Amino acid sequence: MVTPTDLSLWLDQQAWFFLLLAGLILFIYLALRQSARKRRQTLQAQREGVTELTFTEHMEQFGYDPVVCLSTYRYLQQVQRVSFPILPADALEEDLGLAQEDVEQSVRELTAALGRYRNIGLVNTPLETVEDLVQLLQTFPEAETLPGRALA
């Protein structure tokens, strides 16, 4: 017969606690995952008629450049993997789930894709909504229109 060590005795006495803790963590993970899936399904159903074209047409009514709007919508859907239709008032962090680094990446990549020049000296308000992002991108001048800058 093997005499148990202090470690094996302690593990025998504490195993129920670790199993309970692991079960609780698994339950919380599954509940959050189910909640996120239900939220995506609800948003998909509520925004059934919203497409990149309706988004662009809506923004164009308020004077936004349709190319910037369409590019932003497509970028958020394809690169940032937003799986439901996007509205201009959607919050970048809360609604779309973008971290600050994702927003900065979006600004950099969309600026380059649109052939615009980011004005570093421009003081920006925090980007909170999709409309704020489109508005910021639209304020950047196109690279070919900058004085003293020639495109190669």
Side-chain angles (χ1 to χ4, degrees):
M1 178 165 175
V2 177
T3 305
T5 64
D6 289 337
L7 179 61
S8 65
L9 281 174
W10 182 80
L11 285 175
D12 286 342
Q13 293 172 353
Q14 301 299 325
W16 64 270
F17 173 75
F18 289 114
L19 289 175
L20 182 63
L21 184 62
L24 180 63
I25 290 170
L26 180 64
F27 175 76
I28 291 171
Y29 169 76
L30 292 174
L32 289 173
R33 187 172 173 180
Q34 176 67 18
S35 174
R37 190 172 61 102
K38 186 171 176 74
R39 182 174 184 273
R40 276 193 308 275
Q41 289 174 342
T42 302
L43 285 172
Q44 190 77 26
Q46 288 174 343
R47 300 173 178 194
E48 191 170 320
V50 178
T51 65
E52 60 187 26
L53 295 176
T54 59
F55 174 86
T56 302
E57 288 171 358
H58 174 76
M59 295 290 283
E60 197 173 7
Q61 293 174 1
F62 298 101
Y64 290 103
D65 183 349
V67 174
V68 174
C69 296
L70 186 61
S71 298
T72 303
Y73 189 97
R74 285 182 179 167
Y75 178 88
L76 293 172
Q77 289 266 304
Q78 296 169 359
V79 177
Q80 295 296 347
R81 303 208 184 271
V82 176
S83 61
F84 50 85
I86 300 167
L87 298 176
D90 284 344
L92 295 169
E93 186 176 337
E94 291 85 13
D95 296 331
L96 304 186
L98 301 179
Q100 187 61 36
E101 297 83 32
D102 297 329
V103 174
E104 285 299 318
Q105 174 190 355
S106 299
V107 171
R108 279 192 313 274
E109 291 180 0
L110 280 167
T111 300
L114 291 166
R116 295 187 176 248
Y117 176 74
R118 188 168 182 177
N119 189 352
I120 302 298
L122 186 66
V123 177
N124 300 319
T125 59
L127 298 178
E128 295 180 6
T129 65
V130 175
E131 186 174 3
D132 294 342
L133 177 59
V134 171
Q135 188 174 25
L136 175 67
L137 292 168
Q138 189 164 310
T139 62
F140 295 153
E142 293 182 29
E144 67 235 15
T145 63
L146 291 176
R149 280 184 73 92
L151 293 177

